[in-house]
Amino acid sequence: MAKTVITTLVDDLEGTEADETINFSLDGRHYEIDLTADNAARLRDSLAGFVQAARPTAAREAFRRTTIQPQQRVIRAWATRNGIKVNDRGRIPQNIVEQYMAAQN
């Protein structure tokens, strides 16, 4: 049986359809936010001066590696649809990630 899964991004500020997910870090915590193109431009514009004055760190590379993993939002939605209890925020337990990966094969 074929299945099509459609994921729609919703702007976390306005609740309208978003165009992209932006990942960023502040004070040692990593965040992601879904935004429309206009809101993404506002975020980038507001941080531009700080980014220009800042310097990259090794943590930046580690953050990039974590974004390669399957999208947490997709795994959470899958777990919920399959009756698996998962928190709305924070790290997804490895056993749930493994169940998700196994279900995709």
Side-chain angles (χ1 to χ4, degrees):
M1 170 165 68
K3 182 190 290 189
T4 300
V5 177
I6 299 172
T7 302
T8 302
L9 296 178
V10 176
D11 185 294
D12 292 320
L13 296 176
E14 298 176 349
T16 58
E17 189 168 337
D19 297 303
E20 64 180 298
T21 299
I22 297 177
N23 295 293
F24 63 98
S25 297
L26 181 65
D27 296 332
R29 296 195 59 194
H30 305 296
Y31 302 90
E32 72 177 25
I33 188 168
D34 300 324
L35 297 172
T36 63
D38 288 343
N39 283 335
R42 271 185 37 218
L43 175 63
R44 288 184 175 104
D45 289 346
S46 66
L47 294 175
F50 296 100
V51 171
Q52 283 181 331
R55 59 192 168 279
T57 66
R60 182 176 174 184
E61 291 305 314
F63 181 65
R64 280 191 185 149
R65 283 193 300 274
T66 63
T67 60
I68 294 171
Q69 295 176 357
Q71 292 292 321
Q72 289 188 0
R73 198 166 291 149
V74 172
I75 296 172
R76 288 182 207 286
W78 172 87
T80 301
R81 280 194 312 273
N82 288 281
I84 300 169
K85 188 173 188 307
V86 63
N87 293 333
D88 292 337
R89 294 181 171 256
R91 185 180 203 110
I92 298 173
Q94 185 62 33
N95 67 322
I96 295 176
V97 174
E98 289 170 0
Q99 289 177 58
Y100 168 80
M101 298 301 282
Q104 303 314 303
N105 292 333

